Each structure stands twice: as C-alpha cells, then as structure tokens.
Amino acid sequence: MKVEFAPLSVPLQRRLQTASVAQWIFSFLGLAQCCTAAFITLFFTRFWLVSALYAAWWFIDREKPSKGGRRIHVLRNCIVWRYMRDYFPIRLMKTAELDPRQNYLVGFHPHGVLAAGAFLNFCTEASGFSTLFPGITPHLMMLSLWFRIPFFRDYVMSGGLIPSDKESASYVLQKPGGGNLLAIIVGGAQEALDARPGSFTLLLKNRKGFVRLAIQHGTPLVPAFSFGENDLFDQVKNPKGSWLRRIQHWLQQIMGISLPLFHARGIFQYTFGPIPYRRPICTVVGKPIPVQKKHRPSEEEVDQVHQKYLNELSKLFEKHKAKYNVPEDTHLEFI
C-alpha cells in the first residue's frame, strides 16, 4: 500500500524557509567561532582525545583545501538548501552550454552582503546546477582564513568551497579531462561594503588577477550576474571618506574580511534583524569568452581580455535587466 503525506501548510513552509536561512547565516557568522571554542574547550575535558585526534587529522589533511577540497554530495543535496532557495526564491539561469571537456573560470557579480546566490547556486544542488550543466563540477573560492578553523573547514569544503589563492585556483583549472568550473566573486569582501538595494557598482575596473589566471591556463572566462543580490539587506550609510568606512577598511586590512553593518528583518518580526528580506535572486550565467593560453601574458594582453570581459558582462546585464525590474536608464558602473 502506498503511503501519501499531506503537503505542508503555507505557514509551516514559511517557517521552515526562514529557519533554513537563519541556519545558513549562523553557519557563517557564528559557527566558525563555535567550532574554534569547541576545539579548544575539549582539550580541558575528558573528551580531550577528540581534539587531539582531530589535530592529527588536520595536520595530515592540511593540503586538501588547496587540492580541490572534499565535497560531500549528501550535504550538497540536503533539503535545508531547497527551503533556503524557496525563501527568496533563488534561481540559476544559463544562456549557453558549457562543454564538459573544458574547464571554466566564472566571474560572479556582485558580491552582495553574504553572497547568497553564489553559495546556493554553486555549493548546493538546490537550484539544479548539475541538471543545467551536466558533467560540470563547480568550485567556489572563499577567503583562506576560513579554512584555518577546525571542524569548520570540513563543513565549507563539503559544498565545494576552496581557498581564494593562486595555488587552489590553478589546481582546479589545470585538471586534465575538463569538467571543472571555478567561480570567483571578483569584487570580494571590499565590494560588500557597497552592497545595498538599487546598487549596481562593481569593484572590477582594476581587478585583473582572475583574467591573468585564465590566460595562463587557457581557460574560457564566463561572466555571471546575480540580479537581486544587493537587495537582501539594508546597510548603514558608509560613504567613502566617512569615519565608518575608514574603520571598515582598517579592520579589513587586519582581518582580511569586511564587516558591513547590515540589517533587514527578524525571525519573528519584520522590522529589524539579521535575516534577509524575501526578495528574488536570479543568477544569470553568460556565454564563455575564449582565451588563448600564454604562460606569461603581457599587461597589454591582460588589459585586452579584461576589457572584453567587461563588455560581455555589460551586454549580459543590459540584455536581462528588464526581466528583473531594473530601470532602463540604469547601467553597470565599474570602479
């Protein structure tokens, strides 16, 4: 006899969606500190052997993050990510096929406050990445700092996250046989300080390292723009030159991460809190830009490919902006 379960009520679905987003925010804002505290605290309890054994494993496994990481498909397919997808909702859209016999370097824009679209689309299967791009294995770069935290490093690796350094990037891009996609949030933590609703300013004018990397490996460049990424949170005003912006830049130089003062709604109320607004995100992946391989490209060659990338990204934005309620007279601004 077949057993059928009644569908969840709308209020329950919404509570589960909100809880999934809260869990995701906690995992990046609080879990790292909890993992560090647990690792140290266990040394002073009768369970000290757990930390001791993990420390030994950590040493043996220390090179794994820069060697492609260790994805766990059960976690990538966890139902909690589908609830998170439906909360906003988040969608992934392709405009061209990607050949699984090649490797690709995707530039993701904009960073937003917490890069929700990048995480859900490339580190989980909630938006159907493997269905849209069969034969392609995605990797998303993240600040190397997070891979130095015990336990937490294993959590972030499970989704396909790798450190944002040249060694890690090169390992993915030079894998034989193709079928690998490396996504880089080009604007990085600094761009997050300008993430607010209605903003289309990208920190990209002088960001050319990812272009040089693509040329050195002969890897096609793929622009991707995430509409709605900047609309999830409000941010305390921090214009350039203000005391707050100076403090944020100073902390970024010390810690390597930016600290945007963001806010949106709460879990049980809608006026103020750390939970993002329910606003749709659609990440549009553009067509590949062929790149000729050259081990030591000149500055002029890098500039030419970089300009071509900027043009293709602008075309992608202009072609799709009307679908996502972006005013006709609004254009991307590169700084």
Side-chain angles (χ1 to χ4, degrees):
M1 183 178 67
K2 184 178 179 181
V3 179
E4 295 186 358
F5 296 93
L8 297 176
S9 64
V10 173
L12 180 56
Q13 288 180 359
R14 284 184 168 268
R15 284 196 290 269
L16 289 172
Q17 292 165 6
T18 304
S20 69
V21 174
Q23 173 269 332
W24 167 68
I25 291 177
F26 168 75
S27 69
F28 283 96
L29 298 183
L31 185 57
Q33 292 86 339
C34 292
C35 287
T36 302
F39 179 75
I40 296 173
T41 302
L42 284 173
F43 271 116
F44 300 95
T45 69
R46 59 177 178 173
F47 302 107
W48 63 269
L49 188 58
V50 173
S51 287
L53 290 174
Y54 183 85
W57 161 251
W58 191 2
F59 178 78
I60 296 170
D61 195 55
R62 64 188 182 281
E63 299 295 331
K64 193 63 179 177
S66 60
K67 302 298 182 183
R70 183 188 302 104
R71 65 186 59 238
I72 301 175
H73 293 288
V74 172
L75 293 181
R76 281 180 59 88
N77 286 280
C78 184
I79 192 173
V80 70
W81 307 130
R82 295 198 290 275
Y83 282 122
M84 177 180 167
R85 173 200 64 196
D86 295 337
Y87 172 88
F88 296 98
I90 294 178
R91 292 192 302 118
L92 180 64
M93 174 183 171
K94 73 174 180 180
T95 60
E97 298 292 337
L98 298 185
D99 187 349
R101 294 171 295 182
Q102 281 192 312
N103 295 323
Y104 295 92
L105 195 160
V106 172
F108 182 93
H109 315 272
H111 184 287
V113 171
L114 295 177
F119 173 80
L120 194 119
N121 287 319
F122 297 118
C123 297
T124 81
E125 288 295 332
S127 56
F129 182 92
S130 295
T131 302
L132 282 173
F133 301 104
I136 303 292
T137 301
H139 302 266
L140 177 64
M141 302 200 85
M142 185 182 189
L143 283 174
S144 302
L145 167 70
W146 301 110
F147 295 88
R148 301 170 190 164
I149 300 174
F151 304 121
F152 187 74
R153 67 188 286 274
D154 300 281
Y155 168 70
V156 295
M157 277 197 294
S158 69
L161 286 157
I162 62 173
S164 56
D165 55 53
K166 188 175 181 179
E167 180 186 0
S168 303
S170 296
Y171 182 87
V172 172
L173 295 179
Q174 65 189 10
K175 274 189 173 183
N180 293 281
L181 180 150
L182 177 66
I184 300 177
I185 307 177
V186 182
Q190 189 175 344
E191 190 176 79
L193 298 177
D194 290 315
R196 48 179 46 87
S199 173
F200 296 97
T201 300
L202 303 182
L203 188 61
L204 186 56
K205 191 174 182 179
N206 296 311
R207 295 279 173 116
K208 302 176 182 179
F210 73 107
V211 174
R212 184 180 299 276
L213 193 65
I215 296 175
Q216 290 173 341
H217 293 88
T219 306
L221 280 165
V222 182
F225 192 86
S226 196
F227 291 91
E229 193 74 46
N230 282 342
D231 298 335
L232 305 185
F233 297 94
D234 292 315
Q235 190 172 165
V236 175
K237 291 183 179 180
N238 58 342
K240 292 181 180 179
S242 65
W243 65 269
L244 176 57
R245 190 62 167 247
R246 288 197 294 268
I247 292 175
Q248 288 173 323
H249 275 305
W250 177 67
L251 290 174
Q252 182 186 345
Q253 291 174 352
I254 294 175
M255 301 184 296
I257 58 175
S258 64
L259 296 173
L261 298 180
F262 62 90
H263 58 90
R265 50 158 289 191
I267 297 177
F268 303 109
Q269 43 77 30
Y270 301 94
T271 55
F272 188 85
I275 306 301
Y277 296 120
R278 284 181 179 267
R279 292 173 181 171
I281 297 174
C282 183
T283 301
V284 183
V285 180
K287 63 181 181 180
I289 302 170
V291 175
Q292 185 176 359
K293 185 175 182 179
K294 189 170 184 180
H295 183 59
R296 292 183 179 178
S298 65
E299 290 297 326
E300 183 180 356
E301 290 169 325
V302 172
D303 289 343
Q304 288 177 352
V305 177
H306 183 261
Q307 186 59 51
K308 187 174 183 179
Y309 179 86
L310 295 183
N311 294 340
E312 290 298 324
L313 178 61
S314 295
K315 289 179 184 178
L316 182 72
F317 176 80
E318 295 295 332
K319 183 177 180 180
H320 295 277
K321 68 180 183 181
K323 303 175 188 175
Y324 305 106
N325 301 318
V326 178
E328 186 178 351
D329 59 349
T330 298
H331 310 286
L332 291 181
E333 179 186 358
F334 302 122
I335 60 173

